[in-house]
């Protein structure tokens, strides 16, 4: 095999040898090695762990890990709280992501239109919450929702934002508050890169601002919107900081409120192997959903 | 205009409230108008927070700066080099490698946290600075941004010219290409800085000793102890205000660079 290759390929290969192979390795290896260590190995290790089960020699015997096949996965699929938490974040995402991205797009279009003055100020004011880490934002809003501390006590004493019915949407508000400005900026900078001649041509054809927005701007920034949507989908399935913080404000947030909280609780139990299986299932779910979204929107964008 | 004004209030009132609350002493926190100042105790409050438990808060801030600042700097350099090589050199397996790295963008950081914890505990390295720092210096999204930006902004002719002048590939990268890629590199730096600064799951499961905590985890633990130690409530508020200042400063200082780099990510 190698000898036939060697006989056939040299003329072809020598035509285009890889130039600067040493330099390329020097450029790529540092990242590549660390990527392997801190991305590929952990993924493989989680998969490996998820196939083990803990066995004991008798009730008080020493625990040892043995290969258990799909035993952990069978448990994952029978685990009610885990699937409830997945359903919960999916419901959260179906409402929160469109609202957030809709607002981001609206603000980006307004910033880009001649209607709004003081663009610099608004751009900054809307973006400032992004500088607040999720944990800190959740703590702040936790105080704002608490009846005795809130500046809006008239509102918070009549509506219990931290009740079982509303706490999910109270968190949705925190996430929206943090990320609207950030997504707005990504869409806005993509708007800025549209050549102005296109607008002039459209105006000559008699198109108004609204028409230009819908027929030109939105289609052209679709890739930016898709990117922000994918990051939002990933973020939604990974919700952790907000529910974890809200547990100290509201008893309605259980230890299995979101998939990541379930994983954390399971790992602390400690049931590492089941937690690993949860992680794998969650990562695969995230991957499938973002990939499906990408394929779906691409088909729509090019249809 | 009206829409923009209303939403400005929505975005800024919580931060205004935090600022006002941080200036009050404990009794005024509940008794006075939450959106306006009472006696200004800001300096005294800050002194209390900073000196509480041997100045552990300052240590958290320094930790956060080291995790996020140092981590983002190294991450940017590694991602910049890798993305540049993927954009500017032709070699076998280039597309495969790029797709593998790009797949890393879709892998949620929290899915990695648990296996990373297990790996680090195998070598008895959990609860150390490095257990949080090392995983932070890998940024697949940075490679993606750097590759796109290098492809668009570093002309092949310039690299050839530099080669004719006798410069090595590495030297060409560091003297010529880095300058052209600067907006993208600042964007990568800020993305990664924010990602590390905000990262919660990894430090939460990795660290036990509070002296290694980043400021977010520290404030989180204070907040969860409020019921036992009531004075922590105002410390959390003052600490939260102090902890968001570094990010706002970083964004303001670097904004003229990162804004031109931000659009690069959406080129698909």
């Amino acid at each position: 095999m190698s000898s036939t290759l060697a006989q056939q390929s040299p003329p072809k290969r020598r035509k285009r040898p890889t130039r600067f192979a040493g330099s390329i390795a020097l450029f790529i290896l540092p990242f590549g090695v660390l990527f392997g260590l801190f991305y590929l190995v952990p993924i493989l290790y989680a998969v490996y762990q998820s196939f083990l089960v803990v066995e004991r020699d008798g009730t008080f015997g020493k625990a040892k890990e043995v290969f258990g096949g799909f035993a952990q996965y069978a448990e994952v699929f029978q685990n009610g709280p885990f699937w409830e938490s997945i359903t919960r974040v999916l419901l959260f995402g179906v409402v929160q992501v469109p609202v957030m991205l809709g607002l981001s797009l609206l603000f980006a279009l307004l910033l880009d239109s001649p209607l709004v003055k003081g663009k610099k100020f608004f751009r900054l004011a809307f973006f400032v919450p992004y500088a607040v880490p999720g944990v800190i934002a959740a703590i702040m809003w936790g105080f704002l929702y608490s009846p005795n501390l809130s500046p809006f006590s008239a509102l918070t004493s009549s509506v219990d934002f931290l009740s079982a019915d509303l706490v999910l949407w109270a968190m949705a508000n925190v996430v929206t508050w943090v990320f609207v400005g950030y997504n707005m900026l990504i869409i806005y900078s993509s708007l800025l890169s549209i050549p102005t001649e296109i607008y002039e041509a459209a105006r000559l054809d008699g198109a108004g601002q609204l028409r230009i927005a819908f027929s030109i701007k939105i289609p052209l920034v679709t890739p930016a919107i898709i990117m922000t949507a994918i990051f939002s989908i990933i973020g939604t399935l990974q919700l952790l900081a907000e529910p974890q913080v809200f547990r100290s404000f509201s008893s309605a947030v259980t230890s299995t409120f979101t998939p990541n909280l379930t994983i954390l609780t399971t790992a602390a139990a400690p049931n590492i192997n089941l937690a690993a299986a949860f992680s794998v299932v969650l990562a695969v779910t995230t991957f499938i959903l973002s990939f499906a979204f990408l394929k779906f929107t691409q088909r729509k964008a090019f249809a | 205009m009206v829409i923009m004004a209303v939403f400005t209030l929505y975005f800024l009132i919580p931060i205004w409230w935090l600022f006002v609350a941080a200036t009050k002493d404990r009794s005024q926190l509940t008794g006075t108008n939450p959106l306006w100042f009472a006696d200004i105790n800001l300096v005294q409050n800050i002194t209390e927070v900073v000196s509480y438990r041997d100045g552990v808060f300052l240590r958290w801030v320094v930790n956060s700066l080291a995790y996020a600042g140092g981590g983002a700097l190294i991450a940017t350099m590694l991602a910049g080099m890798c993305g540049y090589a993927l954009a500017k050199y032709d070699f076998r397996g280039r597309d495969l490698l790029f797709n593998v790295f790009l797949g890393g963008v879709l892998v949620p950081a929290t899915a990695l946290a648990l296996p990373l914890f297990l790996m680090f505990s195998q070598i008895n390295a959990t609860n150390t600075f490095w257990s949080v720092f090392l995983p932070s210096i890998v940024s697949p999204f940075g490679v993606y941004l750097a590759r796109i930006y290098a492809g668009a902004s570093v002309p092949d002719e310039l690299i050839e010219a530099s080669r004719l002048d006798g410069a090595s590939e590495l030297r060409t990268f560091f003297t010529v290409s880095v300058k052209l890629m600067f907006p993208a590199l600042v964007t990568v730096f800020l993305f990664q800085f924010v990602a590390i600064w905000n990262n919660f799951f990894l430090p939460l499961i990795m660290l036990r000793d509070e002296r290694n905590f980043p400021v977010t985890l520290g404030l989180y633990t204070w907040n969860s102890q409020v019921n036992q130690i009531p004075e922590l409530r105002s410390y959390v508020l003052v600490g939260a205000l102090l902890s968001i200042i570094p990010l706002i400063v970083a964004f303001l200082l670097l904004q003229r660079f990162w804004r031109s780099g931000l659009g690069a990510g959406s080129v698909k």
Side-chain angles (χ1 to χ4, degrees):
Chain A
M1 174 76 186
S2 63
S3 67
T4 53
L5 255 177
Q7 276 163 7
Q8 286 169 358
S9 53
K12 229 179 152 191
R13 291 279 297 281
R14 212 163 280 164
K15 227 168 102 190
R16 291 201 55 197
T18 302
R19 296 169 69 200
F20 313 112
S23 305
I24 296 172
L26 212 60
F27 279 123
I28 292 184
L29 273 182
F31 178 85
V33 168
L34 290 167
F35 182 85
L37 273 179
F38 297 121
Y39 270 79
L40 300 182
V41 174
I43 292 172
L44 293 176
Y45 194 65
V47 173
Y48 166 73
Q49 284 284 339
S50 70
F51 282 112
L52 301 179
V53 289
V54 176
E55 242 175 35
R56 284 171 200 284
D57 307 329
T59 321
F60 303 102
K62 208 165 171 264
K64 60 175 181 188
E65 290 180 319
V66 295
F67 181 75
F70 288 94
Q72 301 293 356
Y73 289 95
E75 214 169 307
V76 169
F77 285 100
Q78 287 161 7
N79 191 297
F82 181 69
W83 294 104
E84 270 168 42
S85 68
I86 292 232
T87 317
R88 194 174 288 120
V89 289
L90 286 180
L91 173 68
F92 177 103
V94 166
V95 177
Q96 189 266 339
V97 174
V99 168
M100 173 176 70
L101 293 184
L103 286 174
S104 303
L105 176 64
L106 173 70
F107 299 146
L109 288 171
L110 284 172
L111 273 186
D112 195 50
S113 77
L115 299 170
V116 170
K117 306 275 172 287
K119 292 183 181 5
K120 257 191 160 154
F121 168 76
F122 286 122
R123 206 173 53 202
L124 190 65
F126 285 30
F127 186 65
V128 163
Y130 183 62
V132 183
V135 183
I136 308 288
I139 292 176
M140 276 173 64
W141 279 95
F143 281 111
L144 290 174
Y145 291 136
S146 304
N148 54 341
L149 279 165
S150 174
F152 316 104
S153 46
L155 188 63
T156 47
S157 56
S158 56
V159 185
D160 184 3
F161 289 103
L162 298 170
S163 67
D165 293 336
L166 287 179
V167 73
L168 187 65
W169 309 114
M171 283 178 210
N173 175 54
V174 179
V175 177
T176 307
W177 183 77
V178 172
F179 284 103
V180 161
Y182 164 79
N183 291 317
M184 171 195 81
L185 266 188
I186 291 185
I187 299 170
Y188 178 62
S189 51
S190 157
L191 277 172
L192 288 182
S193 63
I194 299 174
T196 47
E197 296 90 65
I198 298 184
Y199 301 142
E200 278 156 34
R203 263 193 292 274
L204 283 178
D205 289 343
Q209 284 298 330
L210 216 59
R211 173 87 195 171
I212 291 179
F214 276 101
S215 303
I216 300 177
K217 289 182 177 177
I218 294 181
L220 283 177
V221 297
T222 306
I225 300 174
I226 292 175
M227 190 181 82
T228 53
I230 287 186
F231 282 127
S232 307
I233 292 172
I234 298 176
T236 302
L237 284 158
Q238 306 307 316
L239 272 178
L240 176 78
E242 292 81 4
Q244 179 81 356
V245 168
F246 271 44
R247 292 190 68 192
S248 65
F249 292 104
S250 165
S251 56
V253 184
T254 59
S255 65
T256 56
F257 198 74
T258 68
N260 263 332
L261 261 184
T262 314
I263 293 171
L264 193 64
T265 311
T266 313
N271 192 344
I272 296 292
N273 305 108
L274 182 60
F278 279 145
S279 298
V280 172
V281 171
L282 179 62
V284 170
T285 309
T286 310
F287 206 85
I288 291 173
L289 279 179
S290 26
F291 198 74
F293 181 80
L294 194 66
K295 284 291 154 209
F296 176 71
T297 47
Q298 269 175 352
R299 193 175 305 149
K300 254 182 106 179
F302 299 120
Chain B
M1 244 352 225
V2 178
I3 301 175
M4 296 301 264
V6 169
F7 274 92
T8 305
L9 292 180
Y10 168 66
F11 289 118
L12 293 187
I13 281 182
I15 291 177
W16 172 252
W17 167 80
L18 181 67
F19 178 61
V20 170
T23 66
K24 292 180 177 172
D25 69 25
R26 219 167 305 142
S27 59
Q28 290 168 336
L29 206 54
T30 45
T32 58
N33 180 356
L35 292 178
W36 199 249
F37 302 100
D39 303 330
I40 308 275
N41 277 319
L42 186 60
V43 176
Q44 194 200 325
N45 285 347
I46 292 176
T47 322
E48 270 180 46
V49 169
V50 165
S51 55
Y52 183 67
R53 270 197 245 158
D54 302 326
V56 74
F57 179 79
L58 276 185
R59 193 172 162 105
W60 293 341
V61 173
V62 172
N63 286 345
S64 272
L65 287 173
Y67 286 126
L73 205 64
I74 297 176
T76 305
M77 203 179 74
L78 299 181
M81 282 164 59
C82 184
Y84 171 78
L86 288 171
K88 286 293 152 192
Y89 295 96
D90 198 13
F91 57 95
R92 272 169 48 120
R94 173 172 80 159
D95 291 333
L96 175 72
L97 210 53
F98 179 63
N99 283 327
V100 171
F101 292 158
L102 191 59
V105 175
L106 295 183
V107 179
T110 53
L112 297 172
L114 182 66
L116 279 173
F117 170 77
L118 298 175
M119 282 165 58
F120 274 90
S121 46
Q122 292 281 321
I123 53 169
N124 286 322
T126 56
N127 197 18
T128 59
F129 176 84
W130 301 106
S131 64
V132 172
F133 184 82
L134 288 177
S136 313
I137 61 179
V138 188
S139 168
F141 186 65
V143 172
Y144 167 70
L145 260 185
R147 179 192 165 154
I148 285 179
Y149 205 85
S153 68
V154 184
D156 290 333
E157 296 80 22
L158 214 59
I159 301 177
E160 282 301 335
S162 173
R163 273 177 202 147
L164 287 177
D165 288 345
S168 71
E169 298 305 303
L170 221 58
R171 191 182 156 86
T172 305
F173 173 73
F174 280 108
T175 54
V176 180
S177 311
V178 159
K179 287 196 187 93
L180 295 167
M181 289 168 68
F182 201 66
L185 294 179
V186 171
T187 312
V188 173
F189 176 83
L190 276 175
F191 263 108
Q192 196 62 10
F193 187 91
V194 173
I196 303 172
W197 191 275
N198 290 353
N199 192 359
F200 182 62
F201 203 169
L202 189 63
L204 178 70
I205 66 171
M206 212 54 110
L207 303 175
R208 286 287 163 271
D209 179 0
E210 69 170 16
R211 294 182 62 76
N212 287 328
F213 281 7
V215 66
T216 44
L217 186 57
L219 288 174
Y220 164 77
T221 51
W222 276 2
N223 188 57
S224 49
Q225 292 163 12
V226 159
N227 286 335
Q228 294 92 48
I229 315 168
E231 71 255 34
L232 281 180
R233 173 164 291 153
S234 60
Y235 292 178
V236 168
L237 290 174
V238 177
L241 179 70
L242 294 177
S243 76
I244 61 182
I245 292 172
L247 271 185
I248 293 181
V249 170
F251 274 116
L252 288 179
L253 284 179
L254 295 172
Q255 67 167 329
R256 84 192 160 93
F257 298 110
W258 61 263
R259 273 215 312 279
S260 51
L262 204 56
S266 56
V267 185
K268 279 247 162 84

